[in-house]
């Protein structure tokens, strides 16, 4: 997606809800739509600090929460306590490298629908389920041992 389209989508969502369009919101959203895409709040802060000096971690968190409420980013738990924000919001599974921490999308796998069904059967009201496959990425596996 072109940078202008990325901005337009965010500006449209903000205006629809009567929310202000601020440089922080624009720049943080852009950072998440960049190549890296799976980013912790700390990584987002590091990537925007050149453009927005003085931005604090709480500001980054509150902006990420806003983007999440607009359904422009999704929160993904990596299973080791870290939370990563993902600008790809449709359900998809991830791989996480236990050595270098790299998270990547796993193509061709649906959300674990079976787990959602079982949760419903048990009287739970599920939002969504996320599948994370742990192991070693290609690079780390190549240098393993
Ligand atoms: Zn790795
Ligand atoms: Zn992803």
């Amino acid at each position: 997606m072109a940078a202008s389209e990325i901005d337009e989508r965010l500006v449209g969502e903000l205006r629809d809800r009567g929310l202000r369009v601020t440089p922080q919101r624009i720049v943080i959203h852009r950072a998440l739509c960049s190549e890296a895409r799976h980013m912790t709040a700390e990584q987002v802060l590091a990537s925007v600090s050149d453009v927005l000096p003085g931005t604090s971690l709480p500001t980054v968190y509150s902006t990420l929460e806003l983007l999440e409420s607009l359904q422009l980013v999704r929160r993904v738990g990596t299973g080791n306590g870290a939370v990563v924000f993902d600008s790809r919001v449709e359900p998809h599974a991830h791989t996480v490298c236990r050595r270098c921490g790299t998270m990547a999308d796993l193509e061709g796998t649906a959300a674990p629908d079976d787990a959602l069904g079982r949760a419903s059967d048990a009287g739970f009201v599920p939002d969504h389920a996320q599948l994370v496959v742990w192991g070693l990425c290609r690079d780390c596996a190549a240098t393993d041992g």
Side-chain angles (χ1 to χ4, degrees):
M1 211 186 303
S4 58
E5 286 176 57
I6 290 169
D7 290 352
E8 272 170 32
R9 196 164 56 127
L10 172 62
V11 169
E13 293 286 344
L14 290 171
R15 293 221 167 112
D16 283 354
R17 287 165 179 78
L19 296 167
R20 282 195 308 136
V21 178
T22 65
Q24 269 103 343
R25 289 171 180 175
I26 295 277
V27 172
I28 288 171
H29 180 245
R30 253 186 226 162
L32 275 158
C33 293
S34 69
E35 287 304 308
R37 239 191 38 231
H38 301 101
M39 299 171 93
T40 63
E42 287 80 4
Q43 288 169 330
V44 171
L45 179 61
S47 86
V48 304
S49 59
D50 282 351
V51 190
L52 296 170
T55 303
S56 67
L57 195 56
T59 300
V60 170
Y61 268 112
S62 64
T63 304
L64 290 170
E65 277 163 17
L66 173 75
L67 295 175
E68 190 184 19
S69 73
L70 299 176
Q71 296 180 10
L72 293 171
V73 305
R74 169 169 276 191
R75 193 186 291 250
V76 184
T78 63
N80 64 352
V83 170
V84 166
F85 292 86
D86 188 351
S87 61
R88 181 174 170 185
V89 292
E90 75 269 20
H92 62 284
H94 291 97
T95 55
V96 178
C97 177
R98 62 179 147 78
R99 183 174 294 171
C100 69
T102 299
M103 174 180 276
D105 288 347
L106 199 55
E107 302 298 337
T109 48
D113 292 335
D114 192 39
L116 289 173
R118 283 164 194 260
S120 295
D121 291 347
F124 189 82
V125 182
D127 291 330
H128 63 274
Q130 296 175 337
L131 179 67
V132 176
V133 180
W134 281 85
L136 287 173
C137 72
R138 190 192 301 254
D139 290 347
C140 290
T143 58
D144 197 26

